[in-house]
Amino acid sequence: MNLIDQILTGKSGERLFLLGNEAISRGLLEAGVKVATTYPGTPSSEIGDVLSQIAKRAGMYFEFSVNEKVAVEMAFSGSVSGLRSFVFMKHVGLNVASDSFMSTVYSGAKAGFVIMSADDPSMFSSQNEQDNREYSKLAHIPMIEPSNPQEAKDFLKTAYEVSEKFNIPVLFRTTTRVSHQRATVELSKIPDTSLTKGMFVYDKGDYVDLPSNSYFLKEKLVKKMQEIEKFSNTLDINKLVDNGASDVGVITSGEAYNTLMDSLNENDLRADIFKIGMTNPLPSSTLLNFLNTHERIIVVEELDDFLEERVRALAQENGLSKKIYGKMDGYFPYSHEYNSDIVSLGLSKILGFDFKIPQPMVEISDLPKRLPVLCPGCPHRATFYAVRRAVKMAKLDGVVYSSDIGCYSLGSYPPFEMADTMLAMGASVGVATGLAKATDQRIISFIGDSTFFHSGIPAIIDAVRNKSVMTLIVLDNRTTAMTGQQPNPGVPINGMGDSSYEESIENIVRALGVVNVVTVDPYDLKSTLLAVSSALRYEGISVVIAKRECAILRDNRMRKERTWKTFEIDQDKCTKCMRCVTTFSCPAIYVDKGSVKINPTLCDGCGVCAEAYVCPYRAIKEVVPVAD
């Protein structure tokens, strides 16, 4: 039985070795969740990958929504209809969802409603490292933070209990190390319920955020949070680790707890620890007692000074003269993910022991730079190649490239270097429209298919309405590739695995008022080059849709069909002009002792490099299988 099936069928008391996100998937089953929605985003993606495989058998409705705002609205609807609901996203996704998110907190919940934000300290796969704990204060929403996979599963149960006890959504925050940490998780029972449909019942206008209602809903919300603050003092997810160290007390939460424990063990230090599971509102009475019983207080937390600010305020409000250490006085950094070295360095300055961050065995500056690259066979490479060549042929100077979030963001690296701006999902078109108005330069904008549906469409409407002159390249690789091949509205399958209506990007673009639209296969370099060249001559908004399935999907399909093939260099024909190496830059092509070669284990047989536009000497050819 594979792990996914074990997540669904595992019995109470069994132990599974689960990723944090997989543990959350199991926690949803144990919590009796019936509606789950998302827009895929690392580090939260694996939850959706699991749910899409088990939702039907679990009696759950699951969907990959068109964007995070819609996902929140879908899950909210499930909650107010009496079904426990869950919506999850990466941290920047909450920005997209924030308009509806903020108001759902006013409206409240009926059945339990949990909103998960997976934050990304150190920006392993994100454009910023915003600390979404701040959203809990802004929205007046209770927040729960686990620190490991077991807690990620178990704390969900508490989150749903709080949500239903106080009729309010709960923000459930993980970080990359919690979501992607793998550990043994003990399972609990999955409740036996066949309920799959709810019933919406009118409730005195609580779900209508007109000013006349919201005015009183805000007062109601403030009172709820005051009640939740009292309740938080009774929750066992707020944990005191008493090591008999009345001199030093450390306050922490989430992943920072793990690095703190590593640091204490590695340096043979002893301190009492107050690990907070509900970080908004804080369990003030319990926390105040902790402050009173320790001489020195240290706050260890990643990113913002969210806890420290409140701890200092609590001490001041109660007239305590305790010395409090944290990042506000420079002992710990505000940026990036913590490790035990960073925590140890901060503790050493406070507690007065010697510690120096170990020097790396190899200086990073001595290592060759290895930039992230597009996959072998990636259709985006062919598109970028054609665009660059078209620009060169048109002898255009000062071209500005406005790019977006997705695999194609790798086009910002050499040799293509086609990303002068990159802000957020769907921002490439809006930025391009602005650049077209602000300058006389030729603007080329890139957007992926999933991003097009997510938030690109309104910007295209704006570009058309305001008569922008720009060329938009839609990189349609038939999936949401960067987060793990999840379906989007442009493919004929949904999150439940059912066949679904396939939206046509070309039809949508035409319906938005774009006249100059063409769809090309980027593996056909000639037609792509001609289409881009024509688009660049158009004095208006022109759209080229480069449509070809993701190389990973194509490779999997070809292996199943046994149609796999590779290419090689004919050394007799190769002039070593290096065009294929320096301008096409496929990872499968390399130079060995002056000769250009193709690595057969990397080559996926797309054959684009064999076209005359890449190799004019026709030195690249398909490998002919040798007969047995």
Side-chain angles (χ1 to χ4, degrees), residues 600-616:
T601 60
L602 291 178
C603 178
D604 82 337
C606 72
V608 178
C609 61
E611 294 192 38
Y613 291 94
V614 178
C615 181

Side-chain angles (χ1 to χ4, degrees), residues 234-252:
T234 69
L235 290 174
D236 60 5
I237 63 173
N238 300 315
K239 176 181 168 186
L240 174 63
V241 182
D242 187 351
N243 291 316
S246 60
D247 178 48
V248 181
V250 185
I251 297 168
T252 187

Side-chain angles (χ1 to χ4, degrees), residues 31-94:
V33 169
K34 292 299 177 185
V35 176
T37 60
T38 188
Y39 180 82
T42 305
S44 70
S45 303
E46 292 84 0
I47 302 171
D49 295 340
V50 173
L51 295 184
S52 65
Q53 297 183 58
I54 66 174
K56 279 186 178 177
R57 288 179 285 165
M60 175 191 295
Y61 174 75
F62 169 70
E63 73 168 36
F64 290 111
S65 303
V66 69
N67 63 31
E68 295 86 351
K69 180 175 180 290
V70 174
V72 165
E73 292 156 359
M74 282 291 302
F76 168 76
S77 301
S79 170
V80 298
S81 299
L83 302 175
R84 280 191 170 185
S85 299
F86 183 71
V87 56
F88 57 101
M89 62 202 74
K90 68 180 299 173
H91 63 304
V92 290
L94 196 54

Side-chain angles (χ1 to χ4, degrees), residues 353-371:
F353 63 92
D354 290 331
F355 182 84
K356 292 182 180 177
I357 292 183
Q359 295 299 308
M361 295 179 69
V362 178
E363 288 293 334
I364 293 176
S365 59
D366 294 338
L367 297 174
K369 285 187 176 180
R370 293 184 175 87
L371 298 174

